[in-house]
Amino acid sequence: MSVVNTLIPVTAVARMAAAFASLLIAFSVPVSFAGEAGNLPVLVVKSPYDLEQTVANLKTAAEGNNFRVIREQSVDHGLVENEDEDRRQRILYFCNFDMLHDALAIDKRVGVFLPCQVNVTEREDGVYVIAPNPKVISALFLLDNPELAAACTHLQNTYEAILEEGTL
Amino acid sequence: MLALVRNIFRSALVALPLSLNAVAGDASTMLRAVSSDPYPETMTKLQRAIEANGYVFSRVQRVDYGLRRRGYDIPPYRVVFFGKPEEIRFLSVAQPRLLPFLPLKIILYQDGDKVVLLAADPSRLAQVYPGPANDGLFQTWRRDIQTILREAARSE
């Protein structure tokens, strides 16, 4: 193989790597999630299990908290061909239809945050579970409806229980 | 990938005031449009608008269908998911805290003889995820969603 033929792919890879690194620097916030609290619109827990076991545990936990699991998919499902989906990024959707009906009766806008979901992401340092933080999201987006506050507190408690039970 | 980054930084550098016109903000937390067309036609126009603006239409969650199966009577209420696959893959690695907000969503619900199209205003996320790169991303999403809503609500 000629020197030119080996140099060109190496140079291209080096350019891509540099571009990717600069993007990560530009966009990154520290990705160590442990110990995050309060003001972020997401709840984050690191799982001691692999991705498949974590997903299975979360399904059990959701059902144990009176939610029905309605769907599991990759985060890019429907956006790429099935065989190209990134199975390391999963979404688990679940629903309590009675709670849903009550929430929509209070404020039809809650639909923009439906269905209830948890994301399971496999990273280099392990598997993380990431869920919306209903109280922060409600304060951020639905601030003019205090009736939702109690429902969001209940939902947040439920999310926390599901995350805890799913990663015990 | 580089085109994606260029687009995002361009938005950060030129954060122009956005004209809302037919697309109203709801105390600046929601983006909203109203269509006078029937629900199925509005849904079709929404899917076309999503694709016309460079996004991929993923799927529809039929909230009304699930509730009706449980015995609740509810007019049409659905969630449309869409996104850009390369953007989602990038953010999955670089900004996993944004995963709960992906893919992007627009809801359509029947309200009397009108159809309401609604999305959370992504620019609100800048309050909890600050920074120029994030600002550019959220403003791009906001601008694109406003355009999509406007096109979907436009009567033919």
Side-chain angles (χ1 to χ4, degrees):
Chain A
M1 187 181 298
S2 73
V3 171
V4 171
N5 284 341
T6 54
L7 275 180
I8 287 175
V10 168
T11 304
V13 168
R15 278 204 302 270
M16 286 167 58
F20 187 63
S22 66
L23 294 174
L24 281 180
I25 291 167
F27 280 90
S28 68
V29 291
V31 289
S32 172
F33 294 112
E36 284 191 2
N39 292 336
L40 286 180
V42 295
L43 307 169
V44 183
V45 175
K46 185 170 183 181
S47 173
Y49 305 103
D50 65 20
L51 185 138
E52 298 298 339
Q53 186 63 52
T54 301
V55 169
N57 292 350
L58 288 167
K59 286 180 179 176
T60 303
E63 288 162 359
N65 281 274
N66 296 317
F67 278 77
R68 182 180 164 199
V69 176
I70 57 176
R71 187 178 181 89
E72 179 205 334
Q73 64 172 66
S74 304
V75 73
D76 54 3
H77 174 78
L79 304 176
V80 298
E81 299 295 328
N82 287 351
E83 59 269 21
D84 296 329
E85 289 182 16
D86 184 358
R87 297 291 292 166
R88 298 166 301 167
Q89 315 294 336
R90 304 273 185 92
I91 309 176
L92 199 60
Y93 292 111
F94 49 93
C95 187
N96 178 309
F97 288 96
D98 296 326
M99 281 180 62
L100 169 60
H101 177 263
D102 292 347
L104 288 174
I106 295 173
D107 195 326
K108 282 200 174 88
R109 296 174 300 168
V110 299
V112 298
F113 304 111
L114 295 179
C116 290
Q117 70 178 78
V118 290
N119 288 73
V120 186
T121 175
E122 182 181 280
R123 303 179 66 84
E124 281 186 9
D125 63 335
V127 175
Y128 289 86
V129 182
I130 308 172
N133 183 332
K135 281 175 69 174
V136 173
I137 287 175
S138 179
L140 200 56
F141 291 102
L142 301 169
L143 44 80
D144 56 348
N145 194 331
E147 278 190 77
L148 284 174
C152 286
T153 298
H154 176 64
L155 188 57
Q156 176 163 342
N157 293 341
T158 302
Y159 266 114
E160 287 173 346
I162 291 171
L163 263 59
E164 183 179 355
E165 291 168 27
T167 57
L168 273 176
Chain B
M1 178 70 79
L2 290 177
L4 169 64
V5 172
R6 276 200 296 272
N7 284 338
I8 291 172
F9 277 102
R10 189 176 296 132
S11 299
L13 289 171
V14 287
L16 299 171
L18 297 170
S19 168
L20 295 179
N21 289 335
V23 178
D26 182 6
S28 298
T29 67
M30 295 281 168
L31 303 173
R32 184 176 185 269
V34 178
S35 170
S36 300
D37 289 330
Y39 193 94
E41 282 80 353
T42 305
M43 176 66 80
T44 300
K45 286 197 295 179
L46 174 62
Q47 293 177 17
R48 278 201 215 119
I50 285 169
E51 287 163 1
N53 283 276
Y55 290 82
V56 178
F57 163 79
S58 172
R59 67 180 188 94
V60 178
Q61 183 74 42
R62 296 183 294 171
V63 176
D64 51 331
Y65 178 73
L67 283 169
R68 268 190 236 116
R69 288 186 70 187
R70 297 284 294 196
Y72 293 110
D73 185 20
I74 175 172
Y77 193 113
R78 305 202 177 161
V79 183
V80 173
F81 295 86
F82 62 101
K84 294 180 178 176
E86 68 280 5
E87 182 175 83
I88 287 177
R89 289 208 168 164
F90 173 75
L91 292 172
S92 297
V93 175
Q95 284 275 32
R97 291 177 188 79
L98 291 179
L99 281 170
F101 304 99
L102 297 169
L104 300 175
K105 299 177 200 176
I106 292 173
I107 62 171
L108 284 84
Y109 63 87
Q110 190 79 45
D111 188 15
D113 61 350
K114 306 286 185 190
V115 177
V116 176
L117 301 99
L118 198 68
D121 183 349
S123 66
R124 296 286 289 176
L125 291 172
Q127 293 191 20
V128 287
Y129 297 130
N134 283 344
D135 282 348
L137 175 65
F138 300 147
Q139 288 294 341
T140 296
W141 284 348
R142 182 175 196 257
R143 182 197 64 217
D144 290 347
I145 290 172
Q146 285 184 310
T147 301
I148 289 167
L149 294 180
R150 189 179 300 120
E151 291 176 5
R154 187 182 299 142
S155 288
E156 291 172 353

